[in-house]
Amino acid sequence: MPKIDSNIATLAGQVALVTGSAKRLGRAIALHLAAEGADVIVHYHHSRDDAEEVVAEIRNLFRRSASLAADLAKKSEIDQLFAQAQKQFGRLDILVNNASNFLHTDFQATTEESWDASLDVNLKAPFFCSQAAAPMLKANRGCIINLSDIGGLLGWPGYIPHCVSKAGILMLTRALAKELAPDVRVNAIAPGTISMPGDPPDWEPEYIKRAPLRRTGSTADVTAAVSFLVNSPFITGQVLVLDGGRTL
């Protein structure tokens, strides 16, 4: 469990909302922001029990937290999510658009439904989350961090809708950075393979061979990048590629 060091509680008094933060990378980001002093809203879709565990961990850090459910494929539920955030916390300083899916879809077998399943969650949702959050973020000169991945840079057969959605996140970041300036900064992180407990063991070897640093990333690599972007007031519209050199 992260421990608070009073010397690094740089986000004290701020409120963050991390989408898809009941599990995996989103969970790590939520706990990291809490350890740095922020109160954190934990968004989830189906994973209520996991979300409540994250909330309990954040409260153990003496930060405020709540879990809020929403299907991010539906704008009406996104609007309700941010209305509840406003009602319960009264402000928002940091939005991390982390929630996404990673769907394998062979080219000839791709259907309208599978295309929409990728684009709705991975691209449409971050736009409408940003739209809903903008008034609160502007009031506090806050920031948005979008999670893309290197599929948006390389393109992978069998994952075309996913790659298109993540490439869209890169342009969405640039466009939002202009749209919301000067009050809100918008940046993105594009990780390569990030190793987490429970991942299939055959994911890493091929990636390690292709990455100059000869390793996969960790959640700590991503959370460090989140902290950097949150605390960099002169950076907007940029993408941090965390891939060990894989895309060189």
Side-chain angles (χ1 to χ4, degrees):
M1 178 186 300
K3 295 181 180 179
I4 291 177
D5 180 336
S6 60
N7 293 320
I8 63 167
T10 56
L11 304 181
Q14 297 192 40
V15 175
L17 189 154
V18 183
T19 65
S21 49
K23 295 181 177 181
R24 295 177 63 80
L25 187 55
R27 179 190 186 110
I29 293 170
L31 292 173
H32 180 79
L33 291 172
E36 292 203 328
D39 299 330
V40 182
I41 301 163
V42 177
H43 159 264
Y44 70 97
H45 186 195
H46 296 298
S47 305
R48 179 177 180 178
D49 291 344
D50 294 301
E52 287 299 323
E53 288 180 8
V54 179
V55 168
E57 289 191 50
I58 291 170
R59 289 175 177 169
N60 284 339
L61 297 174
F62 305 103
R63 305 303 180 200
R64 291 192 301 156
S65 186
S67 61
L68 298 178
D71 178 355
L72 299 185
K74 299 177 181 177
K75 183 181 181 298
S76 60
E77 295 200 23
I78 290 174
D79 291 340
Q80 185 177 19
L81 168 66
F82 285 90
Q84 285 296 313
Q86 169 79 62
K87 181 178 179 180
Q88 293 190 37
F89 287 80
R91 64 181 291 156
L92 187 66
D93 302 86
I94 302 163
L95 169 63
V96 181
N97 283 313
N98 164 77
S100 67
N101 54 39
F102 185 61
L103 304 178
H104 181 269
T105 49
D106 288 325
F107 175 62
Q108 291 295 345
T110 299
T111 63
E112 184 177 2
E113 289 73 22
S114 60
W115 176 273
D116 288 346
S118 288
L119 274 290
D120 283 355
V121 173
N122 295 354
L123 183 56
K124 184 178 81 172
F127 172 81
F128 284 110
C129 285
S130 300
Q131 182 189 69
M136 287 186 284
L137 294 172
K138 285 182 178 181
N140 299 303
R141 298 189 73 85
C143 66
I144 297 170
I145 298 175
N146 296 319
L147 269 292
S148 181
D149 65 40
I150 61 170
L153 296 168
L154 295 176
W156 298 321
Y159 293 90
I160 291 177
H162 175 84
C163 293
V164 169
S165 71
K166 291 302 187 177
I169 285 291
L170 304 181
M171 183 52 68
L172 177 65
T173 297
R174 294 171 62 88
L176 284 177
K178 288 185 176 181
E179 177 69 31
L180 298 177
D183 300 316
V184 179
R185 295 182 299 108
V186 186
N187 291 291
I189 297 170
T193 297
I194 304 297
S195 295
M196 283 178 274
D199 285 344
D202 59 347
W203 278 14
E204 294 188 9
E206 185 63 26
Y207 183 89
I208 291 171
K209 275 196 297 186
R210 297 184 182 188
L213 293 187
R214 295 294 186 266
R215 70 173 181 89
T216 59
S218 68
T219 56
D221 293 315
V222 178
T223 57
V226 169
S227 290
F228 172 71
L229 291 174
V230 167
N231 292 292
S232 297
F234 200 51
I235 296 179
T236 196
Q238 301 303 307
V239 179
L240 283 182
V241 180
L242 309 179
D243 69 346
R246 169 69 179 84
T247 53
L248 294 176

